[in-house]
Amino acid sequence: MLSYSPYSKKPSRYKGVCIYRPFVYGSIAIPLPTPRPANTPPDHTHRWTIFVRPVSPSHDITHWLRKVQFKLHETYSQSLRTIEAPPFEVTETGWGEFEVSIKLFFIPEASEKPISIYHQLKLHPYGGTEGEREKTRREGGEVSSKCYEEVCFNEPVEALWDILTSGGGEGRASEKGRGKGKGAKAIKSADRSAEIPNEGTPYSLRMEGRELDRLKEATKQVESMILEERKTLAEREKMLGGLRQEAAAAEKR
């Protein structure tokens, strides 16, 4: 979760309050088709897109996000790309994987400094079994690498609070303490902000629970495999010890 602390005494802020806004960043890559597109460098193998997107098409992140700056590998011409309107993405071709720096700039009303996140561009299949990865390569399938993230506006300024709680953007608000005055009033207004959806997006709370269950099951399987390997190793060490004793006895003869 990306969290921000107030750094300016002006304008006034809602004390003890956080506003959360979800988004997705990542990359999608596919092998270049045959015949290759015109003017494509001969050593390039994939077309890829790096992006910052809402969690679903119905969400609008421009209520809080003004522009996105992507820092590509220095071998690309104009490696610093600034996108000032959606879709916030850059599409290129290439042959190698590298880390992309992504800087988020907020709307002026937010009175917040820009922040940076980082994403490792993926061109080749990863995860799953070797057979599944080989099938993806053979079928020329898409390689997708996405991350869910939340921006936490800590003690937001009044202008930003008004924008985000009056229908501007989807997300949630929370109270850090029992604040009084403006803080208490702000929490009441938060009813107009939607929680992170339980259904309808790949990043819903229910999908998160299912993923956690899969991870727990996978952890159990790995632990079982480790125990089996330790048992096999102990048996082999015992066998090796016996062979060493036999060899030592043979030398004494």
Side-chain angles (χ1 to χ4, degrees):
M1 182 181 294
L2 308 175
S3 180
Y4 306 91
S5 297
Y7 65 91
S8 174
K9 295 182 179 179
K10 298 179 180 180
S12 60
R13 294 175 176 269
Y14 284 112
K15 300 298 183 181
V17 175
C18 287
I19 299 182
Y20 300 86
R21 287 298 178 267
F23 67 97
V24 179
Y25 68 95
S27 60
I28 296 175
I30 57 173
L32 289 172
T34 302
R36 297 163 61 85
N39 303 321
T40 302
D43 57 341
H44 286 195
T45 60
H46 291 74
R47 178 179 298 277
W48 52 261
T49 299
I50 186 85
F51 58 82
V52 173
R53 296 173 178 171
V55 296
S56 74
S58 63
H59 291 191
D60 184 0
I61 58 178
T62 61
H63 290 291
W64 54 268
L65 184 63
R66 181 167 64 90
K67 64 180 180 180
V68 179
Q69 194 174 78
F70 299 91
K71 181 65 172 68
L72 310 181
H73 194 273
E74 59 185 11
T75 54
Y76 285 90
S77 61
Q78 297 181 338
S79 60
L80 191 62
R81 312 284 180 91
T82 301
I83 310 300
E84 298 187 354
F88 298 107
E89 59 186 44
V90 171
T91 298
E92 272 286 0
T93 62
W95 59 267
E97 300 179 345
F98 58 90
E99 185 178 70
V100 180
S101 172
I102 305 172
K103 181 175 284 190
L104 307 181
F105 292 82
F106 304 107
I107 59 175
E109 292 87 346
S111 297
E112 299 285 359
K113 295 179 180 179
I115 56 92
S116 294
I117 53 180
Y118 300 89
H119 178 74
Q120 183 69 25
L121 177 66
K122 296 288 186 181
L123 302 184
H124 306 286
Y126 63 98
T129 65
E130 179 58 34
E132 292 172 340
R133 293 193 294 271
E134 180 58 31
K135 181 180 179 181
T136 301
R137 287 189 289 265
R138 186 171 59 253
E139 297 178 350
E142 176 184 284
V143 174
S144 178
S145 175
K146 303 176 183 179
C147 298
Y148 173 93
E149 186 58 274
E150 291 181 2
V151 177
C152 170
F153 293 103
N154 187 30
E155 298 187 352
V157 298
E158 293 181 356
L160 180 63
W161 176 267
D162 290 341
I163 291 172
L164 297 183
T165 61
S166 60
E170 297 76 10
R172 57 192 174 94
S174 68
E175 182 180 14
K176 295 191 297 183
R178 295 184 176 180
K180 299 180 179 179
K182 293 181 179 179
K185 180 180 179 181
I187 291 301
K188 184 177 181 180
S189 300
D191 294 340
R192 293 179 291 181
S193 291
E195 289 283 344
I196 295 176
N198 285 313
E199 291 293 346
T201 81
Y203 307 96
S204 67
L205 296 177
R206 179 168 295 183
M207 288 298 294
E208 179 181 339
R210 293 173 184 170
E211 185 64 23
L212 289 173
D213 290 340
R214 286 194 290 268
L215 289 173
K216 290 177 181 178
E217 183 62 29
T219 300
K220 292 179 181 179
Q221 294 179 6
V222 171
E223 290 174 348
S224 177
M225 293 170 62
I226 290 174
L227 290 176
E228 289 295 328
E229 288 296 325
R230 287 177 176 172
K231 182 179 178 180
T232 301
L233 180 60
E235 292 174 352
R236 290 178 179 176
E237 289 179 344
K238 183 178 179 180
M239 182 183 298
L240 181 59
L243 293 174
R244 286 174 176 169
Q245 290 179 358
E246 292 178 3
E251 288 180 358
K252 292 179 179 179
R253 296 174 187 171

